[in-house]
Amino acid sequence: MALKPPLSDLPIKTANAGFYRGFSVDVTVASKIIISVLVVWCIFWPTQSGRVLSDLNSVILANAAGWYIWTVAFFIIICLGLAIWPTAGRMNLGVEGEKPEFSNFSWFSMMFGAGIGVGMLTWAVAEPVAHFGSNPETIQGLTTGGAADNVRMAYKWSFLHWGLGAWACYAVCGLSLAFFSYRRGLPLTIRSALTPLFGKALSGKLGHVIDIVAVVATILGVAQTLGFGVEQFVAGLTRIGIGGLVYEDGGATFVGIIVALLVIMGASTLSALSGVGKGIKWLSNINMVLSIFLLGFFILFGATWFGASAMFLGLIDYLLALPQMSFNVWKSDGVEGSEAFLLAQWQGWWPVFYWAWWIAFAPFVGLFLARISRGRSIREFVLGAMIVPSLMCFVWFAWAGGTAIDLELNGGANGVIFDAANGDKIFAMTEFMLAPIADILAWGMAFLIVVLLMTFLVTSADSAVLIVNTINAAGDEGPKARPHILFWGAALGLVVAGLLLSGGTSAIQTAMVIGALPFSIVMVLMCISLIKAIYNDGRREAAGIPATMEPDATAAE
């Protein structure tokens, strides 16, 4: 069959006038209905919704755990394969000769802030501590939970969840969007990434369904981040002296949840209304400065050498065990308390949950990565988007989590950190370190973490609102009408509130695992589509047939 120029026109019908002017009515209305039904269900029938979500989660973990594990392994292989493949590696994510808009430092900084953000403040301390207590090696009796021989295992598993697998999910989505939008001039929306498989059929109902799935996954993925962040934000407010927001066991009260969401979503909506150039830009700058300060505090005044050892040995253990950890799926034997049962349960709690989270987060981070990576080569994009942010995560986990473990093992913390709620662990640790010197220093550090936490949460929420509106507007990145920004800001806050009320963060986790499942299928198709497109573009280049849009084209602008 004779080669033809690639598809560079994918019309998506949008409203010409009225409330939905510039938006795809099919995608926007359907997405709003799905999210609204979820909110109403969780808020007005919290017991029933919590039970149903829990039952669905059990079914997914019993039948789809292997799908999540192997799918993310597939994404890692695809990304590394594209970087190695000569034809793919040298291709530009733009027209030929186009140069990147951002410097490498700015590019790496924005990737890290978008892809991880608030997760570092909760999990950089809480996750190594959790795995230090229990992990597959302790379940199998190979190491001892809470003992020195289990430190390396704690980091091996922590690095798995925040390393190459996480960033491969983001890279697959971002690379597909950048390739088809900036090389082909197609709309900057999820459906464009599947044009080599489905062609112009994506202009209709099939494309609408794909974008709807992406919007719902994005809302649930960001809701997961905000759910953890809200509980930590409430813990921080309590640490700086605002009472009545937590129960005796450390959980956020109803009042605490509402106060936190009003502050976070109110600020994020104002930021989204101001646009990328103002609110989001300034918040990102504040994030970076405060993050560097906090990380520097842990490296210099925390467990400096313990953290360095955790970083070096943990990285070696992770890379050596990566193939086995990426493909192994534990099957339960149905006997509660047995080794097989506990291993399968642990895998559902940790790797399966994380892979679902990163997949649900991928439309949000992927679209953002695409926007900041135009003009870079595929090899540069893949290696930059996977390796550098992974290393930054490892540094946070090594010194923040390492400080917590070292203080408990050798510093006399005596459970002060380990016994705190996950969101409160970083506050408990810094207070233990600074209170003996001066209470004002401990209070000041808690206040700084609260401010950093809020900027991360606000940045995540307002970016999500703008990206959801971009998908709903058929890839148009321009300013959006205020009512739509206000709706999605309120909807995101209500999703978090409704799910927290129906079952706490576990309900958000369950909804996100369910919502990520259909989008994981879309992402697998995106990989196949991308490989087909790159292969055919290589053939086009060899035959002298144009493979990109014209240099002066404005379709992707």
Side-chain angles (χ1 to χ4, degrees):
M1 182 182 291
L3 279 173
K4 299 178 181 179
L7 179 67
S8 59
D9 181 34
L10 186 67
I12 302 173
K13 183 180 179 181
T14 56
N16 295 321
F19 183 73
Y20 287 105
R21 180 181 180 183
F23 286 82
S24 168
V25 176
D26 300 279
V27 175
T28 307
V29 172
S31 301
K32 287 182 176 180
I33 290 173
I34 292 170
I35 295 300
S36 298
V37 168
L38 178 62
V39 168
V40 171
W41 185 41
C42 290
I43 290 179
F44 290 98
W45 293 278
T47 303
Q48 181 198 51
S49 59
R51 184 180 66 254
V52 172
L53 288 173
S54 178
D55 291 343
L56 284 172
N57 189 51
S58 298
V59 172
I60 289 177
L61 293 181
N63 298 283
W67 168 259
Y68 277 119
I69 298 296
W70 296 326
T71 295
V72 173
F74 174 66
F75 294 156
I76 296 174
I77 293 170
I78 290 297
C79 288
L80 295 179
L82 290 175
I84 296 170
W85 185 9
T87 301
R90 60 181 169 76
M91 284 187 179
N92 193 313
L93 296 175
V95 298
E96 293 304 320
E98 189 169 359
K99 300 298 181 183
E101 178 182 355
F102 301 101
S103 68
N104 286 338
F105 178 79
S106 296
W107 186 50
F108 293 140
S109 298
M110 287 187 286
M111 279 194 297
F112 181 75
I116 297 300
V118 69
M120 287 296 93
L121 295 181
T122 301
W123 296 108
V125 177
E127 186 162 344
V129 167
H131 298 328
F132 180 60
S134 176
N135 59 59
E137 279 73 20
T138 63
I139 293 172
Q140 297 173 86
L142 303 176
T143 56
T144 306
D149 70 333
N150 199 37
V151 172
R152 292 175 65 169
M153 297 303 101
Y155 278 94
K156 181 182 78 171
W157 291 104
S158 296
F159 287 0
L160 171 71
H161 300 146
W162 294 79
L164 298 179
W167 291 94
C169 294
Y170 301 155
V172 162
C173 201
L175 180 58
S176 297
L177 289 167
F179 185 93
F180 291 102
S181 294
Y182 301 139
R183 280 181 65 88
R184 302 282 174 85
L186 297 174
L188 186 61
T189 187
I190 304 300
R191 72 176 79 185
S192 296
L194 301 183
T195 49
L197 299 181
F198 303 109
K200 289 195 173 183
L202 292 166
S203 290
K205 292 181 180 178
L206 177 61
H208 299 335
V209 170
I210 290 168
D211 282 348
I212 290 166
V213 166
V215 169
V216 173
T218 299
I219 292 295
L220 293 177
V222 176
Q224 178 70 67
T225 299
L226 294 180
F228 285 130
V230 162
E231 291 207 333
Q232 189 170 34
F233 188 66
V234 170
L237 292 177
T238 302
R239 289 279 179 175
I240 62 175
I242 301 176
L245 303 180
V246 297
Y247 295 114
E248 291 184 2
D249 63 359
T253 64
F254 174 78
V255 172
I257 292 171
I258 298 304
V259 168
L261 283 173
L262 285 175
V263 172
I264 294 165
M265 298 313 301
S268 66
T269 302
L270 290 174
S271 178
L273 288 170
S274 70
V276 176
K278 295 180 181 178
I280 296 176
K281 175 184 175 182
W282 283 105
L283 284 171
S284 297
N285 291 340
I286 294 171
N287 287 349
M288 189 56 59
V289 172
L290 294 181
S291 296
I292 291 172
F293 177 83
L294 183 59
L295 180 59
F297 170 78
F298 290 131
I299 293 175
L300 294 175
F301 302 105
T304 305
W305 299 113
F306 188 97
S309 174
M311 176 72 184
F312 179 71
L313 295 176
L315 185 57
I316 292 174
D317 292 337
Y318 163 66
L319 292 175
L320 291 176
L322 182 60
Q324 189 270 338
M325 292 190 297
S326 297
F327 288 97
N328 183 55
V329 176
W330 281 296
K331 295 289 185 181
S332 174
D333 58 7
V335 180
E336 189 168 350
S338 69
E339 182 178 298
F341 177 90
L342 293 174
L343 287 171
Q345 184 183 59
W346 188 93
Q347 190 168 53
W349 285 346
W350 291 99
V352 173
F353 155 65
Y354 269 121
W355 295 163
W357 191 2
W358 304 147
I359 288 169
F361 220 50
F364 164 47
V365 181
L367 199 148
F368 181 77
L369 290 183
R371 290 175 64 176
I372 65 175
S373 302
R374 183 169 184 168
R376 295 187 180 273
S377 71
I378 289 178
R379 180 176 295 113
E380 187 179 16
F381 177 93
V382 169
L383 296 180
M386 286 181 67
I387 294 175
V388 175
S390 293
L391 289 174
M392 282 300 299
C393 290
F394 298 163
V395 168
W396 267 93
F397 274 72
W399 273 277
T403 297
I405 293 173
D406 187 50
L407 288 173
E408 289 284 0
L409 279 178
N410 308 307
N414 295 322
V416 169
I417 302 168
F418 284 5
D419 294 342
N422 284 336
D424 196 34
K425 279 183 169 59
I426 192 169
F427 294 106
M429 179 172 70
T430 53
E431 181 175 305
F432 178 79
M433 294 169 68
L434 294 172
I437 302 172
D439 286 340
I440 188 63
L441 290 179
W443 184 92
M445 182 59 76
F447 181 79
L448 182 148
I449 295 172
V450 168
V451 172
L452 178 57
L453 179 62
M454 181 174 173
T455 59
F456 270 135
L457 289 169
V458 170
T459 302
S460 296
D462 60 15
S463 299
V465 168
L466 292 176
I467 284 172
V468 163
N469 275 319
T470 297
I471 297 173
N472 286 335
D476 178 16
E477 301 175 62
K480 303 297 185 296
R482 288 174 178 266
H484 298 286
I485 292 176
L486 293 172
F487 173 87
W488 285 111
L492 188 53
L494 289 171
V495 167
V496 176
L499 289 170
L500 283 175
L501 293 173
S502 68
T505 53
S506 62
I508 301 180
Q509 175 180 332
T510 298
M512 182 269 301
V513 170
I514 296 167
L517 190 57
F519 191 69
S520 68
I521 298 172
V522 173
M523 287 183 64
V524 169
L525 293 175
M526 290 169 78
C527 291
I528 298 170
S529 177
L530 186 61
I531 292 171
K532 180 180 179 181
I534 291 171
Y535 173 72
N536 285 332
D537 274 9
R539 294 173 62 205
R540 290 186 181 100
E541 290 178 355
I545 299 173
T548 64
M549 62 182 178
E550 293 298 320
D552 60 347
T554 59
E557 296 297 329

